[in-house]
């Protein structure tokens, strides 16, 4: 089990470092708040969160897609990695990507992000990790359209979350994470997904 987790971490680290699309997204997200400030435009907190999630979505979708198209998932299965190992590691790297952005945008992080926001942000990232896995299973060759539609749905959900109190957001995102991870687990073990590998 330890060996499977170690292999999963190492492979995902390689994908994390070499995923140029997500690093371009990170660069855009980091520069954007400063760009708005330079032109004396107000940058809303909800957009700050959405742009962070845009980079996270890009990373997760590319990661799952790479695993599907380059037989990475076959490698995971052969190494003994379970669905739990894979989604846990991908979620941790997605959180790491978010932390990198939050640190690089520290002045804006202090304005728009509080410690209590961790209660809903972390389960939201887990829910997104599961959602992107589901998106890759059902993409069927329409990767770009699938990624865009999924990201738009996630953004719509985030806008709805901001109509709730922080504790309500935490409850909703935790419930969403549990439901979506369960659905992703089923799709991961489905015949539909196995035929794509």
């Amino acid at each position: 089990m330890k060996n499977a987790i170690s292999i999963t971490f190492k492979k995902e680290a390689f994908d994390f470092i070499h995923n140029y699309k997500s690093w371009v997204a990170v660069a855009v997200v980091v520069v954007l708040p400063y760009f708005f400030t330079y032109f004396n435009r107000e940058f809303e907190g909800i957009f700050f969160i959405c742009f962070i999630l845009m980079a996270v979505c890009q990373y997760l979708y590319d990661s799952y897609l790479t695993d599907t198209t380059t037989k990475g998932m076959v490698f995971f299965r052969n190494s003994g990695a379970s669905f739990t190992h894979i989604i846990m590691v991908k979620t941790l790297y997605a959180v790491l990507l978010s932390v990198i952005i939050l640190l690089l945008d520290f002045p804006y992080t202090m304005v728009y992000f509080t410690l209590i926001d961790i209660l809903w942000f972390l389960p939201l990232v887990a829910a997104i990790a599961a959602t992107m896995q589901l998106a890759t299973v059902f993409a069927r060759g329409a990767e770009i359209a699938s990624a865009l539609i999924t990201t738009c749905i996630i953004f719509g959900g985030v806008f709805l979350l901001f109509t709730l109190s922080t504790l309500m957001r935490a409850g909703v995102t935790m419930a969403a994470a549990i439901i979506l991870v369960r659905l992703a687990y089923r799709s991961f073990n489905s015949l539909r997904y196995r035929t794509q590998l």
Side-chain angles (χ1 to χ4, degrees):
M1 181 179 168
K2 280 186 179 180
N3 191 40
I5 294 174
S6 174
I7 289 169
T8 308
F9 263 107
K10 286 176 184 175
K11 187 197 175 294
E12 201 59 36
F14 180 85
D15 289 347
F16 181 79
I17 293 165
H18 292 91
N19 189 337
Y20 73 92
K21 286 183 188 175
S22 64
W23 289 115
V24 168
V26 167
V28 170
V29 175
V30 168
V31 169
L32 213 54
Y34 297 101
F35 179 82
F36 271 72
T37 302
Y38 182 79
F39 287 100
N40 295 316
R41 301 288 181 186
E42 189 175 351
F43 192 66
E44 296 288 338
I46 189 168
F47 292 112
F48 183 59
I49 298 296
C50 280
F51 281 115
I52 292 170
L53 295 178
M54 180 187 74
V56 168
C57 288
Q58 182 67 61
Y59 158 68
L60 285 167
Y61 191 82
D62 285 347
S63 179
Y64 280 118
L65 192 62
T66 300
D67 289 345
T68 302
T69 58
T70 64
K71 307 300 180 187
M73 203 56 75
V74 175
F75 170 78
F76 279 143
R77 286 179 183 273
N78 290 338
S79 69
S82 67
F83 169 79
T84 307
H85 298 147
I86 295 165
I87 197 163
M88 178 187 72
V89 171
K90 288 184 187 293
T91 302
L92 286 173
Y93 276 105
V95 169
L96 174 61
L97 194 72
S98 303
V99 169
I100 289 168
I101 296 169
L102 291 169
L103 290 174
L104 291 173
D105 275 334
F106 192 71
Y108 299 94
T109 301
M110 294 298 289
V111 174
Y112 298 125
F113 207 83
T114 61
L115 279 177
I116 200 166
D117 286 324
I118 292 169
L119 291 175
W120 63 269
F121 190 79
L122 291 180
L124 179 61
V125 173
I128 290 170
T131 303
M132 287 302 173
Q133 195 273 341
L134 288 166
T136 55
V137 172
F138 295 103
R140 288 288 187 177
E143 286 84 10
I144 296 173
S146 177
L148 285 172
I149 291 167
T150 307
T151 303
C152 288
I153 291 169
I154 289 167
F155 282 7
V158 171
F159 275 88
L160 289 175
L161 281 175
F162 269 77
T163 64
L164 305 173
S165 67
T166 303
L167 291 178
M168 283 290 289
R169 282 182 216 165
V172 169
T173 53
M174 283 179 192
I178 292 166
I179 293 166
L180 289 166
V181 167
R182 184 66 184 166
L183 290 172
Y185 173 75
R186 286 176 177 268
S187 71
F188 180 81
N189 292 305
S190 68
L191 182 62
R192 182 188 183 115
Y193 188 49
R194 286 172 189 266
T195 58
Q196 296 180 45
L197 300 178

